[in-house]
């Protein structure tokens, strides 16, 4: 024990403390860098009743997958209000919805809107998902860091 | 004083330093968790001139209050451009605006738009609030962490 | 060397460690405050084909510059889908686009949309910029802290 020099030990300890503390400070100043590996996230709102907007939204989702690679991006389409027709069984874009879901796009219908229009899940496309309230879902996704696009 | 062992003191100090530093690092890695107690915030943009969009927006605000509880969410509706008609004294949704404001929804008209259309505050609903510029308000709210919804 | 009191050194070291660690923790709790000097950022999406929306968007950009001062705000307008017509050489708002670009507004056309419509850069306004994909640009800007406005 007598070979340990208290002053040398102090110096070592001080250096350690400094490096630990500065690691914390650096992490604060420089938030996690966004590497190209980071998964992108985007939510599309469909609240319009016209098939033109539905097709535009589906084009957008497809382009995003092509540009970034389907595996590198989480895409969700939320249909509510007059936009709910996009996900009805007789939707003018039914085939494209099936295709998008097959490609990994999450597509959800607002059950609040469905209740107001007396639509049941049986009235909707089999490939469609559901959320209790479309706007709440859009709020939640934005909070989770999703970009918001309203085509 | 001679009873204090410098090496034991060093060990204690080192442990303290370590725990303090790691507390800092942990706080960086795990940002403040969003508890269910945290107040939600959402701003709705009304820039369209059709009463259908106005009603859709008011339905959205009402649904958000019903889903989350009116006390747990700050809701603001910003009307500008062609959307300003929603808040004029002869608005097709005048009663619903009064009701929404009574329920705690903040509703504001863009004074830039009003100037352009030669509207004074007397031309607007008594329950309406005002902001100097609607778009600036929407930018400000997004910066404050409000979700943005454009019905 | 014998004049250094190990206990005093320990106390000093402990105080230093404490202040360094607490600096880290404070920085976490209080994110960089947004001073009035901080540059504002806003991106406008134009995906509608009607000149009314184009004029509304240009009015919005102008108002934002007037309110905040052109030097204090980065404004970008992204035209895609049916909105691409806003930036074609025969656009109904060609003069206003030139003026906006002259005032420092960044205006970009989506090359994905252009390809789909067989438009080349020669078909577009000389003052227009270009991005490979409009929606990707809107996602990127939101990630960079831009407010998003869809007039």
């Amino acid at each position: 024990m007598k070979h340990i020099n208290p002053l040398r030990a102090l110096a070592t300890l001080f250096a350690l403390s400094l490096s630990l503390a500065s690691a914390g400070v650096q992490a604060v100043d420089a938030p996690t860098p966004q590497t190209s590996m980071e998964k992108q996230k985007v939510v599309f709102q469909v609240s319009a009743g016209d098939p033109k907007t539905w097709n535009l939204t589906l084009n957008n989702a497809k382009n995003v997958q092509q540009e970034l690679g389907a595996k590198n991006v989480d895409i969700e389409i939320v249909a509510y209000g007059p936009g709910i027709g996009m996900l009805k069984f007789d939707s003018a874009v039914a085939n494209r919805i099936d295709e998008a879901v097959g490609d990994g796009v999450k597509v959800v219908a607002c059950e609040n809107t469905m209740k107001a229009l007396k639509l049941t899940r049986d009235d909707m496309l089999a490939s469609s998902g559901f959320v209790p309230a479309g706007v709440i879902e859009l709020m939640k996704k934005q909070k989770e860091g999703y970009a918001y696009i309203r085509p």
Side-chain angles (χ1 to χ4, degrees), chain A:
Chain A
M1 289 296 274
K2 54 189 162 182
H3 293 113
I4 295 175
N5 177 341
L7 285 173
R8 182 162 294 173
L10 267 176
T12 303
L13 176 53
F14 182 63
L16 257 164
S17 303
L18 239 173
S19 69
L20 283 166
S22 76
V25 170
Q26 276 192 327
V28 172
D29 286 345
T32 316
Q34 295 174 353
T35 70
S36 58
M37 304 304 289
E38 193 188 344
K39 203 164 191 182
Q40 303 287 309
K41 293 176 281 187
V42 59
V43 63
F44 291 94
Q45 171 186 313
V46 177
S47 54
D50 61 301
K52 275 189 186 178
T53 299
W54 305 349
N55 274 304
L56 178 59
T57 304
L58 290 161
N59 293 347
N60 290 173
K62 195 165 202 166
N63 284 342
V64 168
Q65 287 192 324
Q66 285 169 344
E67 292 288 326
L68 301 179
K71 286 180 185 171
N72 303 321
V73 58
D74 284 329
I75 304 180
E76 181 165 329
I77 298 175
V78 179
Y80 81 89
I84 203 77
M86 188 196 199
L87 302 183
K88 280 174 67 179
F89 77 96
D90 59 353
S91 166
V93 296
N95 289 344
R96 295 198 66 186
I97 295 290
D98 291 346
E99 190 193 334
V101 172
D103 290 343
V105 175
K106 191 175 173 190
V107 177
V108 294
C110 168
E111 294 192 307
N112 262 345
T113 303
M114 287 168 57
K115 271 177 224 157
L117 300 178
K118 310 206 168 158
L119 294 169
T120 69
R121 290 193 178 196
D122 290 340
D123 297 314
M124 312 304 286
L125 290 170
S127 55
S128 178
F130 301 93
V131 291
V135 173
I136 301 286
E137 179 74 3
L138 291 162
M139 291 167 62
K140 196 177 145 198
K141 289 298 159 186
Q142 287 184 62
K143 202 154 210 168
E144 290 174 7
Y146 278 61
Y148 166 94
I149 305 281
R150 196 284 198 191

